[in-house]
Amino acid sequence: MESKKDLRTITRKDIAIEAGVTETIVSYVINGNRYVKEEKRRKVEEAITRLNYRPNSMARALKGKKSNHILFIADDIKGEYFGKLISEIDGLAYKEDYFITLCADHQDEDFVNRIYSKFFDGIVIGSASFPLHNIQRLIDAGIPIVLLEIRDYSSIQGVYGLINTGLYDGSRRVVRTLYERGRRKLLFLDRVSTSGNWSSMDDWRLKGFTDQCNVYRLEPVVVSGCRTEDELSAKVIDLLASGYVPDGIFGRNDPIALVGMQACQKMGFNVPDDISVIGFDNTRLCRFSSPTLSSVEIEQSEIARWVMDMMMSLIDNRSSFEKRLEVYLDTKLVMRESV
């Protein structure tokens, strides 16, 4: 295995020769400060991999260049959850003389190149659908990254911040709660996505649900693949009409749980007598549904505090570290009439 000293002997000139491009193109790719055509960028990245070269993850900070601007990439910028979280982060960021920009996760390869073309001091990623290889590209370019652990990020290498927001344990708590109340036929309702970004088993909410069902030897049933809430409602109604009637429903978020609740009520089932329903995120919707919705609450103020603490450490190199910064937070289940 090559030592760190060996890795530093690889220069940008070596990468340029290996990739068949100019040193300037190599610098653009590594620094992430200019647009590079996809083919050339791919050649440079492949050369970097073959030569085992990794740029200094603090390179941009050491240059002393700052924009005092942080980008937050989310997969649901319309929802209440990220709005509240951004509000919490913004208050803390302002005290550090920083501004936060919220941006949707756009599903195209040019998205990362566009990020490169702007200068952000750091990026927070709270998206379950942001491609892992694009996260790695941003880290390898030396951009300070903080990840909200919505799914499994164990394959990501380098220096970054990782905040486990308690999704996995929160989902297992939901299953335990339903089981303790005698519920044995549990249904998970996945997100709706017009772009086809539905949950896989590396998504902590779905994995937590499935793993805890397996502990109890229950057969988990998942409704996924819906592009609209109407389509999800129709699928739940069809499932009920076919004879499969769950006695517990877990929605990936509160709006999804409420779609499931309404579908059950349309089919003549009573919530919670016949079917218990639990959501996730504990948004304002929970208090105004009928019956009111039980939900898992995420500690947004704690997440915001750790986001800024990690981001400032990464940007200013306040801490001497050589690997990712990690923190594990908890959730709480807020019980209401739907259970």
Side-chain angles (χ1 to χ4, degrees):
M1 179 182 293
E2 293 180 291
S3 66
K4 289 185 179 180
K5 184 176 180 180
D6 295 329
L7 292 177
R8 293 192 189 104
T9 63
I10 301 297
T11 66
R12 297 187 181 191
K13 182 178 180 180
D14 297 322
I15 297 169
I17 294 172
E18 179 75 13
V21 300
T22 66
E23 286 186 57
T24 301
I25 293 297
V26 173
S27 295
Y28 288 166
V29 174
I30 290 175
N31 294 332
N33 57 3
R34 292 290 190 281
Y35 174 79
V36 177
K37 289 184 178 180
E38 178 67 22
E39 183 180 358
K40 288 185 177 181
R41 181 186 59 74
R42 178 178 53 78
K43 287 181 178 179
V44 172
E45 291 178 341
E46 290 174 351
I48 287 173
T49 300
R50 286 195 297 270
L51 296 177
N52 292 321
Y53 174 85
R54 285 292 180 270
N56 185 348
S57 63
M58 292 293 116
R60 291 167 68 121
L62 292 174
K63 290 178 183 178
K65 297 179 181 178
K66 286 187 178 181
S67 65
N68 288 69
H69 199 173
I70 296 170
L71 178 66
F72 193 117
I73 301 172
D75 52 11
D76 181 19
I77 64 173
K78 296 179 182 179
E80 178 186 332
Y81 170 74
F82 280 113
K84 288 174 63 177
L85 181 57
I86 284 293
S87 178
E88 294 277 357
I89 296 174
D90 180 69
L92 297 174
Y94 193 75
K95 293 178 182 179
E96 297 279 355
D97 198 26
Y98 272 83
F99 288 96
I100 300 289
T101 293
L102 177 62
C103 177
D105 174 11
H106 296 278
Q107 296 300 307
D108 60 78
E109 283 300 312
D110 192 48
F111 181 46
V112 173
N113 289 329
R114 294 193 186 196
I115 293 173
Y116 282 159
S117 70
K118 311 296 180 182
F119 186 73
F120 296 103
D121 290 342
I123 299 173
V124 182
I125 299 175
S127 169
S129 56
F130 196 81
L132 296 179
H133 71 273
N134 281 340
I135 295 175
Q136 191 65 64
R137 283 175 59 193
L138 293 170
I139 293 173
D140 289 346
I143 302 174
I145 301 292
V146 173
L147 301 175
L148 303 186
E149 195 173 7
I150 299 173
R151 57 176 168 162
D152 184 0
Y153 288 124
S154 59
S155 64
I156 301 296
Q157 303 297 314
V159 179
Y160 59 95
L162 183 69
I163 301 175
N164 185 312
T165 56
L167 305 185
Y168 178 77
D169 289 338
S171 296
R172 297 191 69 164
R173 183 177 294 118
V174 168
V175 176
R176 287 197 299 270
T177 299
L178 292 172
Y179 187 86
E180 288 166 0
R181 283 155 178 76
R183 306 309 191 181
R184 297 294 184 268
K185 296 175 68 175
L186 305 187
L187 177 66
F188 181 90
L189 302 183
D190 194 18
R191 74 179 84 179
V192 298
S193 172
T194 56
S195 55
N197 293 309
W198 301 295
S199 300
S200 61
M201 283 308 298
D202 68 349
D203 180 280
W204 287 136
R205 299 188 199 205
L206 177 56
K207 183 170 175 54
F209 169 80
T210 303
D211 285 354
Q212 192 62 39
C213 282
N214 291 337
V215 169
Y216 293 137
R217 297 183 179 180
L218 305 178
E219 183 178 352
V221 177
V222 177
V223 173
S224 187
C226 299
R227 295 183 178 273
T228 66
E229 291 181 350
D230 287 341
E231 187 178 341
L232 175 63
S233 178
K235 275 196 175 184
V236 174
I237 289 173
D238 287 345
L239 193 65
L240 296 170
S242 70
Y244 178 82
V245 180
D247 51 20
I249 292 178
F250 177 25
R252 192 181 189 280
N253 56 43
D254 294 334
I256 293 301
L258 292 174
V259 170
M261 179 190 293
Q262 187 180 60
C264 293
Q265 291 170 331
K266 282 183 178 179
M267 293 296 288
F269 295 98
N270 180 275
V271 177
D273 292 342
D274 302 318
I275 304 172
S276 295
V277 182
I278 300 179
F280 215 110
D281 295 338
N282 195 33
T283 58
R284 287 176 296 177
L285 293 171
C286 300
R287 303 195 306 273
F288 301 110
S289 64
S290 181
T292 54
L293 180 66
S294 300
S295 184
V296 178
E297 181 174 281
I298 301 172
E299 298 294 338
Q300 291 171 312
S301 59
E302 277 295 286
I303 294 173
R305 184 175 69 83
W306 278 106
V307 162
M308 287 309 301
D309 184 72
M310 287 183 175
M311 188 58 74
M312 293 300 95
S313 293
L314 291 166
I315 291 173
D316 296 334
N317 197 17
R318 294 179 184 175
S319 302
S320 56
F321 50 83
E322 297 182 355
K323 59 181 181 179
R324 69 188 184 189
L325 306 172
E326 292 185 70
V327 65
Y328 291 83
L329 304 179
D330 200 5
T331 58
K332 65 178 180 180
L333 180 56
V334 180
M335 299 295 288
R336 297 190 178 92
E337 297 169 349
S338 65
V339 175

